[in-house]
Amino acid sequence: MAKNLTILGATGTIGVNTLDVVARNPEKFRVIALTGQNQIDKLAQQCRQFQPRYAVVLEPDKANALQTLLAGTATEVLAGMEALEFVCALPEVDTVMAAIVGAAGLRPALAAARAGKRVLLANKETLVMAGRFFMEAVREHGAILLPIDSEHNAIFQSLPANYDGDPARHGVRRILLTASGGPFRTRAVETLEAVTPEEAVAHPNWVMGKKISVDSASMMNKGLEVIEAHWLFNARPEQIEVVIHPQSIVHSMVEYLDGSVLAQLSNPDMRTPIAHSLAYPERVEAGVNWLDLAKLGTLTFEAPDFARFPCLKLAYQALATGGAATAILNAANEVAVAAFLDRHIPYLGIAASLENVLGRLTGLPAGSLEDLMAADAAARREAQMWVDRESRVARR
Ligand code: NDP
Ligand code: MG
């Protein structure tokens, strides 16, 4: 029987790769709803090709534009956050690909979990912001959570099939999270001040959205992934070790008490984890190039340098602090990365602003989802104030 899909963030990198896998397996998957934000022409083209029942955007004027483009088709256009939540909870939908970028992805992902869907989670910010509440919703409503992030998908595949979130019971000693090291792994540290947005988004191995590309350059992405792994697999921070692996072939590993290390390998192509989760527990064609190990020759590994990548250290610290700290880290990072991409602050300003915001906002309550939303908003305000101050100083 075909699986019925809602794809949140269909116009993004993950969304497009998801539709590519769907198109290769038309008998296995049917698209019920697609969502986008600014790329209305692209969303309209996707709707023509995949004929979903619903297309959703956040803003009403974008919805009107989309409506015009889709006139005469069977796709109904909806607008707003409630509409995003609605298409995640539709009775005919069994699988939701959560691939919106940033904190905006939290509410729809939560709606999918609360509706007991199979949630294919690309939006790592959901777990970084509200890991405890999201995992509770998954458990309470019998949702099935499958990680799309390539590292977490690799860990999922390297854990026992009956893994129940208890590392000790399954003999799991450590999770080894691989990182490419991004474009600045070997660049002279004293030249990092002069990094441009173009250099930061030019990832050596992966083609990704701008925000996650900058996060990969700063290794904040790996920091967010440490937090993500903590919630997904119930591993303690000290059980999660980051190892730099510049070739991005080994996507992560699980080390067991007997010394065994299990890994998942593939070419760096997001269609592999996407196809894995779409079809799980089956396997489907994903269109990826087969791995030619002899041609690759050498796979290398090295320890990360916290001085070069202060954002990684800040993420470990926020995880150790707990409470609202990771939500604060995530929100401040979104503001700082946007400011860097707009050339308002230098690259090194990202880590500096995070340190500042984390230092100022300590001990905020984290007892409810509303608390975390409030912490997110406070962190955005603080980070924006820092950015405004810095860009004023820079202009002088
Ligand atoms: P993109 O920036 O390429 O795509 C983001 C998608 O979300 C687009 O469809 C965009 O719409 C939509 N969107 C953006 N802002 C909003 C908003 N406020 N409300 C609703 N929709 C919005 O990102 P990626 O595809 O690269 O990443 C998506 C998620 O997956 C991120 O959380 C990222 O961390 C994660 N991820 C991505 C990986 C990758 O290889 N790309 C790997 C692992 C995880 P539009 O484009 O129409 O404006
Ligand atoms: Mg990743």
Side-chain angles (χ1 to χ4, degrees), residues 9 11-14 37-39 58 104 122 124-125 149 208-209 270:
T11 48
T13 318
I14 295 291
Q37 160 94 326
N38 291 315
Q39 301 188 73
L58 266 190
K124 63 191 85 187
E125 295 89 345
D149 212 345
M208 306 181 286
M270 285 309 291

Side-chain angles (χ1 to χ4, degrees), residues 36-368:
Q37 160 94 326
N38 291 315
Q39 301 188 73
I40 299 302
D41 290 332
K42 192 167 173 181
L43 185 57
Q45 182 268 319
Q46 292 177 334
C47 288
R48 272 201 212 89
Q49 185 180 350
F50 292 93
Q51 303 180 5
R53 223 175 118 193
Y54 300 101
V56 188
V57 290
L58 266 190
E59 292 151 25
D61 58 326
K62 301 249 164 61
N64 289 338
L66 184 63
Q67 184 84 64
T68 309
L69 291 170
L70 290 178
T73 70
T75 300
E76 188 178 336
V77 176
L78 305 174
M81 184 50 82
E82 286 72 25
L84 286 175
E85 293 175 318
F86 169 75
V87 295
C88 289
L90 288 167
E92 66 265 41
V93 165
D94 38 66
T95 302
V96 175
M97 168 60 79
I100 288 173
V101 64
L106 171 63
R107 274 181 56 185
L110 207 50
R114 286 178 176 151
K117 305 297 186 194
R118 278 164 68 100
V119 185
L120 279 42
L121 191 67
N123 180 268
K124 63 191 85 187
E125 295 89 345
T126 289
L127 288 170
V128 175
M129 277 183 77
R132 185 154 68 84
F133 297 100
F134 184 73
M135 295 307 287
E136 265 171 28
V138 166
R139 274 191 299 274
E140 265 175 38
H141 299 276
I144 296 169
L145 184 55
L146 295 160
I148 293 297
D149 212 345
S150 56
E151 296 76 4
H152 306 77
N153 184 269
I155 295 161
F156 181 89
Q157 294 199 51
S158 303
L159 283 168
N162 64 347
Y163 184 72
D164 60 359
D166 183 349
R169 204 172 76 77
H170 295 273
V172 172
R173 183 166 174 270
R174 276 188 315 168
I175 284 172
L176 304 173
L177 202 61
T178 54
S180 69
F184 306 141
R185 182 175 61 91
T186 56
R187 179 169 167 147
V189 175
E190 58 279 10
T191 68
L192 288 176
E193 182 63 42
V195 157
T196 64
E198 290 74 22
E199 289 171 323
V201 299
H203 197 277
N205 305 337
W206 298 95
V207 180
M208 306 181 286
K210 275 190 183 164
K211 192 262 178 182
I212 183 174
S213 295
V214 175
D215 285 349
S216 296
S218 68
M219 280 192 82
M220 174 50 82
N221 182 50
K222 210 50 53 181
L224 300 179
E225 289 183 358
V226 168
I227 300 165
E228 185 184 8
H230 163 72
W231 289 112
L232 280 173
F233 308 115
N234 196 28
R236 297 190 308 278
E238 63 276 15
Q239 283 183 301
I240 308 168
E241 185 171 314
V242 173
V243 54
I244 292 190
H245 166 47
Q247 296 82 16
S248 297
I249 297 296
V250 177
H251 296 299
S252 280
M253 300 168 260
V254 176
E255 180 184 63
Y256 290 87
L257 284 180
D258 59 7
S260 300
V261 175
L262 300 196
Q264 182 262 356
L265 286 71
S266 71
N267 277 315
D269 187 324
M270 285 309 291
R271 289 176 300 179
T272 294
I274 289 168
H276 168 266
S277 297
L278 277 174
Y280 182 81
E282 290 173 27
R283 299 272 177 178
V284 293
E285 170 67 48
V288 303
N289 291 330
W290 305 119
L291 197 53
D292 187 342
L293 285 172
K295 196 164 156 209
L296 275 168
T298 314
L299 299 180
T300 60
F301 300 91
E302 58 197 68
D305 173 0
F306 282 132
R308 177 183 290 276
F309 299 114
C311 287
L312 179 59
K313 192 167 163 201
L314 289 171
Y316 268 109
Q317 283 170 353
L319 181 57
T321 304
T326 60
I328 291 167
L329 176 86
N330 179 63
N333 182 56
E334 283 187 30
V335 172
V337 169
F340 165 66
L341 285 170
D342 289 341
R343 296 174 211 275
H344 294 320
I345 60 168
Y347 170 75
L348 294 181
I350 298 173
S353 74
L354 298 187
E355 208 161 347
N356 178 276
V357 175
L358 281 166
R360 294 174 79 90
L361 299 180
T362 54
L364 291 184
S368 68

